[in-house]
Structure formats: C-alpha cells, structure tokens
Amino acid sequence: MKNSQTFKSAISGLSFAESEKIYGKSIHDPILGLIKKEFPSFNDDDCIAVNELNVYRQKYISNYLSTEIGALSAMEKNVISSLKEDKSIVSIVEDEEETRNLGQRVADRVADFGGSWTFIISFVVFITIWIGSNVLVFLNKGFDPYPFILLNLILSCVAALQAPVIMMSQNRQEEKDRNRAKKDYMINLKSELEIRMIHDKIDHLIMHQQQELIEIQKVQIEMMNDILNQIKR
C-alpha cells in the first residue's frame, strides 16, 4: 500500500510516487536558489520529485559552465547531453569516424611508408641495382653512366616531393593531437561534473537519512508516551 501513495509537486502540481519525494530543506543551496528564482513561494517544507530535481541540477551545471568557463561550446554541450542521457564520453569518442579527404589520406600513407624500414631498404636496393647495372653490366655505357646524372635527377625529384608531403603529414599529426586534446578535455570535464553531482547526491542522501531518523525518533517518542500513559493509568 505504501508504494501506491503519491504526493503533489509544489512546482508543477503533478502527482508522483511517494518514493520520489524530495523536501526543499534537503536540496543543495545553489540548486535550491535556482528553484526559488523560478518559484519564489517554494520553501523548505515543500516537496518536488527526483526527476524535477535532476532538471535543476542540469541547469546548475550549465550555469556553472557559463560563468566559470565561458559560453557553452559545442564540446561542453555534448558533455551536458551525455550527462542527461547517461552516455559514456569514451564510447562517443571511440564511435566517431574521422573524415579525411584524398590529399590527407595520401599524405598519411606516404608519410607512413617514407618513415619505415621498408622504404629505406627498398631504396638502398634500388640504388644498388641502378649503379651496379650501369657500372658492372653495361660498363658505364648503359642508360645512366657514371656520374649517374639521371639517378641524381630522380633523387632530387623524390626529395622535392617528399618534403611537402612530410610537412602535410606533420600538420595532420598536429591536427590529430588537437583532436585528442579536445576529447581528453571533454572526458575530464564530464568527470568533474559527475563528481559534483555525486557530492550533491551524497548530501541529499545524508539529509534524507537524517529526516528518516528524526521521523523514527518521533514515532518512538510517541510510543514511549503511550506506554507511560498506560502505566499511569
């Protein structure tokens, strides 16, 4: 029967289950201030539901971000929405697919290959075969005799093309580092806000337990008074 009991919210006038009742005196002061700003008649003895309290908790977090950090950016709005929807920022970050254009993909591939032992060994083998074939096989009368002018031209072209590609790759790496820093910031921001909410919930639980103990003590005092009255009779 206790579970079927309901109460009426002091701010919305809607009926909620008795288990969701939150007294005004058990609400954290900054959040209570937000409620009183919209409902000046709300006092410590009035009650609201847990869901309604969560709405004002989100408003309190948004106000904190606006005043302490500045205007809400897209990242901070994502953090707020993840808190509302109870989603993990880490899973959101992992699910994000990086969009790259053709030039960026080519730069990444060339940089990965150019900075590997495969490229170094392949290039050494290529130069060895080129020089060996012209000197030993064609006896300096082949397609590129000593001093290997064609080979120097090819090496110069490769170096000229490789330099801007390496710079593009470095720019891509800096962009990746900035994205990682933004994601780390989002995760750290959500952790800080969740810690604040945990503190607020702990304060609420302590106040709620104190209220229950007071009610139990009142019932015990009433029982003792009834017993004393029966003894006197």
Side-chain angles (χ1 to χ4, degrees):
M1 295 294 294
K2 187 176 181 180
N3 293 334
S4 62
Q5 294 179 352
T6 61
F7 75 98
K8 184 174 290 187
S9 171
I11 62 176
S12 65
L14 301 176
S15 297
F16 296 92
E18 189 73 18
S19 58
E20 298 184 10
K21 180 189 289 186
I22 304 293
Y23 284 96
K25 54 189 172 184
S26 65
I27 301 175
H28 198 44
D29 289 339
I31 300 175
L32 182 61
L34 290 177
I35 298 175
K36 288 186 176 181
K37 186 180 293 185
E38 295 186 12
F39 302 93
S41 61
F42 187 84
N43 55 49
D44 293 344
D45 295 327
D46 291 332
C47 302
I48 62 173
V50 175
N51 293 335
E52 294 175 328
L53 178 60
N54 288 334
V55 172
Y56 285 95
R57 284 173 176 166
Q58 300 299 334
K59 289 183 180 180
Y60 169 70
I61 293 172
S62 298
N63 290 339
Y64 166 77
L65 291 174
S66 298
T67 55
E68 298 294 331
I69 300 177
L72 284 176
S73 64
M75 290 188 301
E76 291 158 351
K77 289 180 180 179
N78 288 335
V79 172
I80 295 296
S81 63
S82 69
L83 285 172
K84 290 181 179 179
E85 299 173 5
D86 196 20
K87 290 183 179 179
S88 172
I89 285 289
V90 178
S91 62
I92 295 174
V93 169
E94 290 177 349
D95 292 339
E96 288 180 350
E97 294 184 358
E98 186 182 17
T99 57
R100 299 180 299 170
N101 56 38
L102 179 60
Q104 292 173 335
R105 289 196 297 270
V106 171
D108 289 340
R109 293 285 181 86
V110 172
D112 291 340
F113 177 70
S116 64
W117 279 106
T118 304
F119 172 76
I120 296 173
I121 296 172
S122 301
F123 208 68
V124 170
V125 171
F126 168 75
I127 293 175
T128 302
I129 295 173
W130 185 288
I131 295 175
S133 61
N134 281 278
V135 174
L136 300 177
V137 178
F138 299 106
L139 301 175
N140 274 333
K141 296 180 181 179
F143 53 88
D144 189 24
Y146 181 84
F148 314 112
I149 297 174
L150 180 59
L151 178 61
N152 289 327
L153 177 62
I154 294 174
L155 294 178
S156 299
C157 292
V158 170
L161 291 174
Q162 194 175 23
V165 170
I166 291 174
M167 293 179 64
M168 289 174 61
S169 176
Q170 291 177 345
N171 292 334
R172 289 278 302 134
Q173 188 61 42
E174 291 177 359
E175 184 180 353
K176 291 179 182 178
D177 292 339
R178 286 194 297 268
N179 289 333
R180 291 193 190 99
K182 289 179 181 179
K183 294 170 183 177
D184 290 340
Y185 167 75
M186 291 173 64
I187 293 172
N188 293 334
L189 177 62
K190 184 180 179 182
S191 299
E192 179 184 353
L193 297 178
E194 285 184 334
I195 290 172
R196 287 175 174 268
M197 293 185 67
I198 288 173
H199 280 300
D200 184 51
K201 290 178 180 178
I202 290 175
D203 291 340
H204 167 68
L205 288 175
I206 292 173
M207 292 294 296
H208 188 65
Q209 288 177 351
Q210 289 177 348
Q211 289 178 358
E212 289 183 346
L213 290 174
I214 292 173
E215 294 296 330
I216 292 172
Q217 288 177 351
K218 288 181 180 179
V219 173
Q220 289 175 341
I221 291 172
E222 290 178 357
M223 292 174 65
M224 291 176 64
N225 289 332
D226 292 340
I227 293 173
L228 289 175
N229 291 332
Q230 290 179 0
I231 293 174
K232 290 179 180 179
R233 293 177 184 176

